[in-house]
């Protein structure tokens, strides 16, 4: 079986996994079909994670820009109502 220590598991690792054959073992076709389904799900989740991270970064940048543009927008000092004296 392919396993690289320290490297994140990727869909191609799942697809390339190879197992020793044993008499009365699991059906290799079922095992590899299942591994392909797992790899497909892995790819989908990776794409979704990339999309979410990209969107989060876009939102962070927009927030920073908004904060920079509105940094000088401070509430006015507390004004006393007309006719009221200090």
């Amino acid at each position: 079986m392919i396993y690289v220590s320290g490297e994140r598991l990727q869909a191609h690792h799942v697809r390339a996994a190879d197992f020793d054959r044993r008499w009365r073992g699991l059906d290799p076709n079922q095992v590899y079909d299942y591994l392909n389904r797992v790899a497909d799900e892995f790819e989908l989740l990776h794409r979704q994670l990339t999309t979410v991270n990209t969107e989060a970064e876009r939102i962070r940048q927009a927030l920073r820009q908004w904060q920079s543009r509105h940094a000088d927008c401070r509430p006015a000092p507390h004004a006393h109502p007309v006719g009221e004296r200090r």
Side-chain angles (χ1 to χ4, degrees):
M1 182 159 177
I2 298 173
Y3 182 77
V4 179
S5 179
E7 185 178 345
R8 295 192 70 154
L9 186 61
Q10 300 287 325
H12 65 88
H13 294 131
V14 175
R15 281 187 177 54
D18 192 25
F19 302 92
D20 295 334
R21 305 275 187 229
R22 297 278 188 252
W23 186 70
R24 302 186 95 185
L26 299 173
D27 179 347
N29 291 329
Q30 288 180 342
V31 171
Y32 291 114
D33 287 346
Y34 185 77
L35 288 175
N36 281 325
R37 286 183 57 204
V38 170
D40 290 344
E41 186 69 16
F42 226 63
E43 285 177 338
L44 174 64
L45 292 172
H46 182 72
R47 283 193 306 271
Q48 289 174 338
L49 179 61
T50 299
T51 300
V52 167
N53 283 336
T54 300
E55 181 67 6
E57 182 57 31
R58 186 192 66 75
I59 290 169
R60 278 192 291 275
Q61 289 177 359
L63 176 60
R64 282 189 213 107
Q65 290 173 357
W66 184 89
Q67 287 171 327
S68 294
R69 283 194 306 266
H70 293 86
D72 296 332
C73 298
R74 303 269 188 250
H78 182 69
H80 295 284
V82 177
E84 191 177 305
R85 294 188 176 193
R86 290 181 130 187

